[in-house]
Amino acid sequence: GRVQWDLGLSALVDLEPAAQREFRAAVAPEASVRAGALRVDVTGYLGLSERTQQAGFGLTWGALAEVGVTLAQRVTLAARYAVVLRDAALVDDARRAVAQSQVATRRVGAEEEHEVGAAVDLRLPGVPVSANADVSWLRSAAAGRYTDGARVRVQAQLAWP
């Protein structure tokens, strides 16, 4: 089939972000290529977050790559890989916040996170709804130690005409 491609750029600015949890600003370039039943999507991003324990900002950057195959008109299977990296200032700030609050959470202070997964997308006949499910293996690295976990997501998406 014919090769189709798309390029995009998303950006956001949050005037009152929650420090450490939301980006003050982010930019995300996107590229997509489709040929027949095969598609490849790649997205990168760079986010700027305010720190809570120290003055200034920290950076988070990452990427998502996904390869999908449409098996039938309404069913798509996909494999994906995602990575998230945080700069040392943001990681240190998160660890200080956890130490002060005595709250333990697995992902706070992670320098990097990797996710490998598989997904299925089912477009329902006669309605503008698709059902999505994916399962992923996660690996987080913090202070030289690795933590593994699993994630299962199920969602429905409504398409607006």
Side-chain angles (χ1 to χ4, degrees):
R2 194 178 84 161
V3 174
Q4 298 176 317
W5 59 274
D6 297 305
L7 296 174
L9 182 66
S10 300
L12 75 85
V13 174
D14 189 337
L15 299 178
E16 295 186 33
Q20 281 269 354
R21 293 187 309 240
E22 299 174 337
F23 292 131
R24 167 63 74 177
V27 61
E30 306 167 21
S32 180
V33 177
R34 288 178 179 77
L38 180 68
R39 72 171 169 75
V40 176
D41 300 310
V42 178
T43 302
Y45 74 90
L46 176 65
L48 185 67
S49 298
E50 293 181 7
R51 295 184 288 179
T52 59
Q53 305 301 304
Q54 307 166 49
F57 295 92
L59 295 175
T60 300
W61 55 97
L64 168 68
E66 182 172 282
V67 176
V69 177
T70 301
L71 300 178
Q73 187 175 3
R74 300 188 184 282
V75 178
T76 301
L77 297 179
R80 66 174 62 117
Y81 170 74
V83 60
V84 176
L85 304 168
R86 293 174 185 86
D87 74 2
L90 194 59
V91 170
D92 182 56
D93 188 66
R95 290 182 182 148
R96 288 179 190 212
V98 167
Q100 286 184 1
S101 67
Q102 302 300 313
V103 174
T105 180
R106 180 177 67 86
R107 292 180 55 186
V108 170
E111 292 105 7
E112 61 184 78
E113 297 178 70
H114 300 269
E115 179 177 1
V116 177
V120 63
D121 180 62
L122 174 62
R123 286 168 298 288
L124 303 176
V127 292
V129 175
S130 68
N132 315 101
D134 66 65
V135 60
S136 300
W137 167 73
L138 306 164
R139 173 164 270 198
S140 295
R145 294 182 19 205
Y146 292 93
T147 303
D148 294 315
R151 174 183 296 159
V152 176
R153 265 187 300 242
V154 178
Q155 65 184 17
Q157 295 177 329
L158 178 62
W160 296 98

